[in-house]
Amino acid sequence: MSLIAFLFIHLDLAKREFQIDLQGINNYFESLTQFKELFAGTITLILAYYGLQRLKMAEKANRDKVKFDRFADWKSITELRMNDLREKNKLFVREFSRLRYNLYNDIYENNMSINNKAELDSIYDKHFQDITRTFEESNENYRNMGGVYRNENSTYFFDDFYFVFIGCVDNFYFQIYQDIRNKYMASLDPERLIGEELHDRAYTRHTGII
């Protein structure tokens, strides 16, 4: 509306052959004052709009700072939990460090919690499903034992993986340990060597203990 009023004023002045002199300027301002309430309202709306935008930007900057500060704390926790794994499974440490910011974003959006199996599936499948087997087979104990398992429920790296993973969340549901373990085990090589006798022979070769 203000734009229409502004155009109307100038069209009217053009019809009256507006001159740039004292009288012409006086006529110009008199024409503007006819719509002063409209112009004042428009200016108020513009100022309010930009004020709201600045407020939104300040709120976003504050949220981003809170998120970043929380990430710094979270990163320190995961670093501490990975300390003992740096020699045993270098690939896991490298890959987890690479993906952890994206992992953090997903967990942060979920209030640092995993409340049920559906949420676990979403996070685990996105970040770990395709690389779980590699984590297991890159573990030092796996290599030393030639990848031989005592039984079908054995694993060389799950407990270490779980220790790091569960440290990423503040809250989790009761059954999460077993659900993560089931997903982890399902990702292992289905053709892996399994057997107590095979395992004992591999252990003897590795340690020299009969």
Side-chain angles (χ1 to χ4, degrees), residues 170-188:
D170 294 339
N171 303 290
F172 50 88
Y173 65 102
F174 179 75
Q175 188 66 22
I176 193 170
Y177 174 87
Q178 192 58 51
D179 287 341
I180 294 177
R181 197 174 201 285
N182 290 343
K183 295 180 74 64
Y184 186 97
M185 296 301 296
S187 298
L188 301 187

Side-chain angles (χ1 to χ4, degrees), residues 3-203:
L3 178 60
I4 294 174
F6 191 73
L7 291 173
F8 174 79
I9 290 170
H10 286 78
L11 287 172
D12 184 59
L13 290 172
K15 290 177 182 178
R16 290 190 284 168
E17 297 182 351
F18 172 69
Q19 299 293 322
I20 303 177
D21 55 22
L22 184 61
Q23 184 60 42
I25 293 172
N26 185 56
N27 292 337
Y28 181 73
F29 281 110
E30 283 183 359
S31 298
L32 288 176
T33 56
Q34 297 178 39
F35 300 96
K36 61 182 180 181
E37 291 84 2
L38 179 59
F39 290 142
T42 300
I43 292 171
T44 301
L45 287 174
I46 292 173
L47 291 175
Y49 171 78
Y50 282 105
L52 182 61
Q53 292 301 110
R54 290 186 65 183
L55 178 61
K56 288 181 177 179
M57 290 175 63
E59 289 177 345
K60 183 179 185 303
N62 184 62
R63 289 196 302 270
D64 290 345
K65 183 179 185 305
V66 170
K67 182 178 180 180
F68 180 80
D69 290 346
R70 183 68 176 88
F71 175 70
D73 293 339
W74 182 87
K75 181 180 177 182
S76 296
I77 292 171
T78 60
E79 286 288 337
L80 287 172
R81 288 183 172 243
M82 288 193 295
N83 276 344
D84 292 340
L85 306 178
R86 295 189 185 281
E87 295 303 320
K88 292 194 299 182
N89 200 329
K90 294 179 180 179
L91 182 138
F92 170 76
V93 173
R94 185 181 72 240
E95 289 301 307
F96 187 89
S97 298
R98 179 185 61 80
L99 63 81
R100 69 178 159 194
Y101 187 71
N102 290 331
L103 173 64
Y104 170 77
N105 282 335
D106 289 341
I107 294 174
Y108 186 85
E109 290 301 317
N110 210 48
N111 296 316
M112 304 305 295
S113 302
I114 298 179
N115 300 302
N116 51 58
K117 189 175 184 299
E119 292 178 359
L120 171 66
D121 288 345
S122 176
I123 290 173
Y124 187 98
D125 292 352
K126 178 179 179 180
H127 298 286
F128 299 111
Q129 183 67 33
D130 294 336
I131 201 169
T132 297
R133 177 175 168 178
T134 304
F135 289 162
E136 173 77 8
E137 295 178 2
S138 297
N139 185 53
E140 182 180 54
N141 291 334
Y142 175 94
R143 297 196 304 269
N144 290 339
M145 292 292 290
V148 178
Y149 293 82
R150 179 174 291 278
N151 56 61
E152 62 183 11
N153 293 315
S154 299
T155 170
Y156 287 100
F157 190 62
F158 172 74
D159 288 340
D160 291 327
F161 172 80
Y162 179 79
F163 178 70
V164 175
F165 181 90
I166 208 64
C168 295
V169 296
D170 294 339
N171 303 290
F172 50 88
Y173 65 102
F174 179 75
Q175 188 66 22
I176 193 170
Y177 174 87
Q178 192 58 51
D179 287 341
I180 294 177
R181 197 174 201 285
N182 290 343
K183 295 180 74 64
Y184 186 97
M185 296 301 296
S187 298
L188 301 187
D189 182 3
E191 303 297 326
R192 62 190 182 277
L193 298 174
I194 300 173
E196 288 191 17
E197 185 176 340
L198 287 172
H199 182 272
D200 291 343
R201 288 206 299 266
Y203 181 77

